[in-house]
Amino acid sequence: MAASPHQHGAARLDVAVEGERITLSFESPLDNLVGFERAARTDAERQRAEAAVAQLKAADAMFTIDGAAQCTPVKAELNSAALALGSGADADHGDGHAEIEGLYEFDCKNASRAGFIDVGLFEAFPRMRRIDVQVVAPKGQMKAVLKRPSRRISLVR
């Protein structure tokens, strides 16, 4: 993903439909998910972080792809230096603005038939208010902005 300004309440989601795979790349300030942007310091913060990670790893709950595509989640990978997840190479810039990145892959029987993806991030994370979306699909490229309570990304123009 390209670097973007760190903005609380906002996240970024890139969607690629290629062959029989749909890939989603997610990036968000940690604050949107857990209410802080550093390593957890208390038991309560650790519990919030663990709950957020568990929710994000449930790819099929976070992203519901149009049933016409017949998709199955095959990867849910998270990176965050502050939460000691994955490589975390780009997640913590040392400026007190820690982020989390997620990579999700779905294998599909007919990815090109997917007309939409419903995103469960707003329901899971009340602090999130906006998701900037970029889609690259066989039928073209598009940008969209999801604002609470909207949750559907259209994959067709």
Side-chain angles (χ1 to χ4, degrees):
M1 276 195 221
S4 59
H6 181 93
Q7 186 176 4
H8 292 191
R12 198 177 137 146
L13 183 65
D14 292 341
V15 179
V17 180
E18 185 175 17
E20 295 309 319
R21 176 158 288 181
I22 296 179
T23 303
L24 299 101
S25 298
F26 169 70
E27 182 180 300
S28 173
L30 206 49
D31 181 75
N32 291 345
L33 310 178
V34 296
F36 54 88
E37 292 190 312
R38 54 179 164 64
R41 294 182 183 149
T42 67
D43 287 342
E45 287 179 350
R46 276 187 281 285
Q47 288 174 351
R48 278 202 313 263
E50 288 169 8
V53 167
Q55 286 178 296
L56 287 171
K57 284 187 175 180
D60 53 348
M62 287 296 100
F63 306 104
T64 305
I65 299 172
D66 182 353
Q70 298 177 318
C71 298
T72 305
V74 293
K75 180 189 251 183
E77 190 176 275
L78 301 174
N79 287 303
S80 173
L83 298 182
L85 294 171
S87 65
D90 262 351
D92 188 354
H93 303 289
D95 58 3
H97 294 293
E99 298 193 350
I100 191 164
E101 296 174 352
L103 177 66
Y104 302 88
E105 292 180 357
F106 291 80
D107 281 346
C108 308
K109 291 194 172 149
N110 198 342
S112 64
R113 291 192 62 200
F116 64 86
I117 298 173
D118 285 336
V119 179
L121 293 164
F122 291 137
E123 291 83 5
F125 304 105
R127 297 173 69 89
M128 194 171 300
R129 296 183 304 275
R130 186 182 90 227
I131 303 170
D132 295 319
V133 180
Q134 293 186 109
V135 176
V136 176
K139 296 176 183 168
Q141 299 179 14
M142 62 191 104
K143 289 185 176 187
V145 176
L146 287 182
K147 291 185 179 177
R148 183 178 290 279
S150 295
R151 59 177 301 180
R152 181 159 286 185
I153 299 168
S154 176
L155 299 178
V156 293
R157 293 188 206 211

